[in-house]
Amino acid sequence: MASYWARTLEKRISRRRALAATGAVGAAAAFLAACGGGDEGGEGAAGGTKDTSGLLAKIEDTSKNAKRGGVMKWTQASEPLHFDGQAQGQAQLNIYNGMVYESLVRNKPGVGEPTTWTEVLPNLAESWEYSPDKTTITFKLRRNVKWQNIPPVNGRAFDSSDVLASVKRYVGHPTPNNKATNYNSVNPNAPIVSVEAPDAYTVVYKLKEPTSFIMQRLANMITGEIGAIYPKEADSGFNPREKQIGTGAYMLDKHTPSVGLTYKRNPDYWNNEAGFPDVLEIPFLNEPAARLAQFTTGAIYAVGGLADIAPEDVVPTKRSTPALNMYQFIAPNNNTSFIQRMGWKDLNGKPSPFLDVRVRRAMAMAIDRDAYIDAFSNVSNFQREGLPAEAYYHTSMGYIPGVTLDPRDTKTFGENAKYYTHNIEEAKKLLSAAGYPNGFEYPSHWPNFPLFGPNFPKQIEVIHAFNQEIGLKPQSNPVDYNLFYLPNLVTKRGQHEGIAFTLGAVTSPDSVDYFVWRYYSKSGATSGQIFGDIGSGPGEGDPKVDDLIDKAKAELDAKRQVMILADLQRYLAGMQYCVSSPGVGTSFTLAWPAVRNYLTFQGDSRAINSFYYTWWLDDTQPPIKRS
């Protein structure tokens, strides 16, 4: 491990071992272990809920003062392989897809706080209506929307024929995509039965059954999902792999391979309340040091996604470049959640050891969640600076405020909370009872991809170290994201050997959809689900899990839905069909003051997690105006 993580984790693990050796127990020992305090290094928590650092800038809505113009200098860690978002998902296309293409509806963002992912707002559709049985949605389209003025579409009006053509193209796409998890014609358990257009400005979606998450699927375009609407000229008039033509705020101006992308504002964009900079310049900077150097000199105004500055670099960078604004946020669920997906195939000629729940529980109990979160989210160091940093545990899902249960609250969580407790002795007993007193070797596959952040390889290494501590012997196998990870791991429903680390992206960020995507045996093969040859037959999964998911997706009352998801989390904690990432801490990031509305509208699905639709440039602020 790199020295930072090695030092931090060793302090935490050594302190726990020392407490165990001296018999130290009770609230004080638990507090020291959880908060990182009480050692000679001074890891004591000084934070709490109030900011005493004087470092944070206020997140505020400055939209009333927004003005158009300027060149937004920004960066991303990687470039897209191509520009066709309706092909199999590629994580690096998410943001670029949203530059140009739009959806019927968009997620309602939180203002200065995380979104709840429960409501949507009008976008290409100006209104909609549900049938009484909630199985038909009738959308009324906007009449003042034009396609970008690029041949062969040439700025013509957008209408329902484009929606129908886009659906037809997606369902019939010759390359793999996630149509089986969306369209009933491909998978009889998928929600969308048909899409029809009674007239030029009406579109009707008919559903198999009430489906609570369907609007978020239509809103979000993560990995080229069903949200993106393409013009009917796609394929017949231009090649969407090479060219983008949409209705969105920005138009692709220049792509220089391995160098960067430039987008210019669409002068005919229908929405006067979004898309303010005239130009977006996006160099590809996949080396963290180079990215940070460009940023601190003002050559770029903000970096990649929200967490593209390593946590341990945030405060030193703010102190060395005080003109920068520092902001606090909670990282979105999909940015922080990975899972150790169990391989159900035979391993070394014998049945997979991961079929035994005791092995899976042992792996969960091997993880020191507090140490991991402290190390990778820099929690105790932020607290020492007087910043309001906290640790948030993941369960069978990533952290979503108000939905994810906290296993540390055992009274609420119940008995299965113990499987989220770091307990080496009990983990070894479980392995021994399963017939593996000396552990076993297994391949551990993980996507070696810069978009997941500079810390991701180190996070994998730390998880491996936790597993080694109980006697397991992971054999690290970094793989290519597009050539191996997508075709051989994500879509195989657990039919692989060993362990596969897979990321948390789903068809939508909706809480129910997260479980549909990961745990529902009735989803299509491309859904990224974990189930394979377990339960009563190949791909049949766990009937209790399916039943709870069925209840949650049919429940349109948000409070009752959260209660169902709580029961699901409690049950999955005991089964541990996959071992989730430990959790995340409060995050902090930086941007130049010239970028206004930075982090104001959180969860804007038009721009995934980068919010460029609502940013505007203030040329009276640095680095545009220099002192």
Side-chain angles (χ1 to χ4, degrees):
M1 287 181 288
S3 59
Y4 172 78
W5 287 269
R7 286 197 311 272
T8 304
L9 285 166
E10 186 57 34
K11 281 182 182 179
R12 299 299 300 274
I13 294 170
S14 295
R15 181 167 55 258
R16 285 183 181 274
R17 290 172 179 157
L19 290 169
T22 58
V25 294
F31 178 81
L32 289 172
C35 296
D39 67 319
E40 293 180 359
E43 287 185 75
T49 58
K50 293 184 179 180
D51 174 36
T52 60
S53 69
L55 297 173
L56 289 179
K58 183 181 179 181
I59 297 174
E60 56 183 342
D61 183 359
T62 61
S63 300
K64 65 179 182 297
N65 299 320
K67 56 184 178 181
R68 302 204 179 281
V71 178
M72 176 62 201
K73 298 182 178 182
W74 184 30
T75 180
Q76 286 293 310
S78 60
E79 65 182 304
L81 301 177
H82 57 77
F83 292 101
D84 187 356
Q86 290 192 326
Q88 170 140 5
Q90 47 164 324
Q92 61 267 57
L93 184 54
N94 293 349
I95 291 171
Y96 309 123
N97 196 40
M99 298 274 189
V100 172
Y101 298 107
E102 293 189 287
S103 52
L104 295 178
V105 293
R106 63 185 179 93
N107 180 60
K108 182 179 180 180
V111 181
E113 61 184 9
T115 177
T116 61
W117 303 109
T118 57
E119 297 181 62
V120 294
L121 299 173
N123 204 43
L124 291 179
E126 61 184 2
S127 65
W128 56 90
E129 182 178 359
Y130 275 92
S131 63
D133 65 358
K134 307 297 183 186
T135 62
T136 301
I137 313 172
T138 301
F139 293 95
K140 292 297 183 180
L141 306 184
R142 292 186 186 277
R143 294 175 179 264
N144 62 333
V145 178
K146 295 181 180 180
W147 291 98
Q148 294 166 353
N149 192 11
I150 302 172
V153 184
N154 297 320
R156 67 167 177 81
F158 158 77
D159 62 32
S160 62
S161 65
D162 294 302
V163 180
L164 295 186
S166 192
V167 169
K168 183 178 180 180
R169 182 178 188 271
Y170 177 72
V171 174
H173 206 287
T175 63
N177 61 21
N178 296 315
K179 55 192 156 193
T181 201
N182 291 306
Y183 283 93
N184 196 262
S185 60
V186 183
N187 169 17
N189 295 301
I192 302 175
V193 174
S194 65
V195 183
E196 301 170 353
D199 59 56
Y201 292 97
T202 305
V203 175
V204 179
Y205 278 71
K206 294 187 177 180
L207 308 179
K208 175 178 179 287
E209 57 198 0
T211 306
S212 62
F213 52 77
I214 193 64
M215 296 299 273
Q216 285 293 347
R217 282 200 182 179
L218 294 175
N220 282 274
M221 296 178 284
I222 294 175
T223 64
E225 279 308 317
I226 57 175
I229 304 299
Y230 282 58
K232 57 190 174 187
E233 291 85 353
D235 295 327
S236 61
F238 71 98
N239 183 355
R241 293 178 66 89
E242 301 174 356
K243 193 174 185 178
Q244 292 179 297
I245 306 176
T247 58
Y250 290 96
M251 306 165 64
L252 179 60
D253 186 44
K254 182 169 64 175
H255 175 210
T256 305
S258 302
V259 177
L261 286 160
T262 301
Y263 285 83
K264 61 183 180 181
R265 190 178 189 280
N266 174 10
D268 299 319
Y269 186 47
W270 60 271
N271 188 352
N272 291 324
E273 298 179 355
F276 295 101
D278 287 335
V279 176
L280 301 176
E281 290 184 356
I282 313 170
F284 305 131
L285 297 173
N286 58 17
E287 290 296 328
R291 192 160 55 239
L292 194 58
Q294 291 281 301
F295 176 56
T296 54
T297 61
I300 54 178
Y301 305 160
V303 293
L306 292 176
D308 259 1
I309 301 175
E312 69 275 14
D313 289 334
V314 173
V315 172
T317 302
K318 166 64 178 174
R319 294 199 188 284
S320 65
T321 312
L324 290 168
N325 281 343
M326 181 175 171
Y327 299 99
Q328 173 190 356
F329 67 99
I330 299 175
N333 175 35
N334 290 336
N335 284 18
T336 59
S337 174
F338 63 79
I339 60 175
Q340 293 182 78
R341 186 194 301 257
M342 308 297 162
W344 311 124
K345 288 184 70 173
D346 289 356
L347 183 62
N348 300 322
K350 298 180 180 179
S352 169
F354 306 113
L355 290 167
D356 193 317
V357 68
R358 293 169 293 187
V359 172
R360 305 194 300 266
R361 288 171 173 173
M363 292 177 67
M365 298 180 85
I367 296 175
D368 186 338
R369 287 167 175 78
D370 294 316
Y372 178 99
I373 297 169
D374 193 24
F376 288 107
S377 294
N378 206 39
V379 174
S380 59
N381 286 333
F382 283 138
Q383 289 176 338
R384 255 199 330 273
E385 295 283 355
L387 291 161
E390 298 181 44
Y392 304 95
Y393 274 30
H394 291 164
T395 60
S396 48
M397 65 186 300
Y399 180 73
I400 297 180
V403 180
T404 304
L405 293 178
D406 189 346
R408 293 166 292 188
D409 179 1
T410 55
K411 183 177 180 180
T412 299
F413 200 102
E415 182 182 1
N416 287 342
K418 65 186 178 184
Y419 299 116
Y420 294 112
T421 301
H422 181 239
N423 192 329
I424 296 296
E425 182 179 357
E426 184 61 27
K428 288 182 176 179
K429 287 180 181 179
L430 287 168
L431 278 182
S432 183
Y436 304 101
N438 300 313
F440 54 87
E441 289 187 359
Y442 61 91
S444 181
H445 315 285
W446 54 277
N448 189 16
F449 190 47
L451 193 63
F452 301 145
N455 291 344
F456 187 60
K458 300 163 188 170
Q459 292 168 337
I460 301 300
E461 192 171 354
V462 168
I463 297 296
H464 285 165
F466 289 146
N467 286 334
Q468 289 164 351
E469 197 169 4
I470 63 171
L472 295 176
K473 304 173 182 68
Q475 308 300 305
S476 182
N477 181 34
V479 299
D480 183 272
Y481 179 87
N482 294 289
L483 299 180
F484 190 91
Y485 171 80
L486 287 177
N488 296 306
L489 298 177
V490 169
T491 61
K492 294 302 183 182
R493 305 181 71 182
Q495 295 305 304
H496 58 78
E497 293 182 345
I499 290 293
F501 283 82
T502 58
L503 278 295
V506 293
T507 48
S508 76
D510 179 273
S511 301
V512 176
D513 207 4
Y514 184 92
F515 288 103
V516 169
W517 189 250
R518 292 295 178 216
Y519 294 94
Y520 195 51
S521 71
K522 302 174 187 178
S523 295
T526 61
S527 68
Q529 62 184 294
I530 64 168
F531 285 126
D533 191 10
I534 59 175
S536 57
E540 293 190 16
D542 184 325
K544 183 168 183 177
V545 172
D546 283 351
D547 180 61
L548 286 169
I549 291 174
D550 280 330
K551 290 178 179 176
K553 68 189 184 74
E555 180 56 72
L556 303 184
D557 180 273
K559 290 183 179 179
R560 288 197 292 266
Q561 190 182 85
V562 167
M563 293 173 64
I564 297 169
L565 295 182
D567 287 339
L568 184 56
Q569 290 174 77
R570 294 183 185 105
Y571 178 72
L572 288 172
M575 300 308 295
Q576 292 292 333
Y577 287 122
C578 61
V579 178
S580 297
S581 50
V584 67
T586 308
S587 297
F588 299 89
T589 192
L590 301 165
W592 283 95
V595 184
R596 305 304 296 271
N597 277 355
Y598 189 82
L599 271 182
T600 299
F601 301 101
Q602 299 184 25
D604 192 332
S605 58
R606 295 173 296 185
I608 308 301
N609 292 314
S610 294
F611 320 130
Y612 53 81
Y613 261 70
T614 51
W615 290 345
W616 62 278
L617 292 174
D618 185 345
D619 58 11
T620 69
Q621 298 295 319
I624 300 176
K625 182 178 180 180
R626 299 186 182 269
S627 57

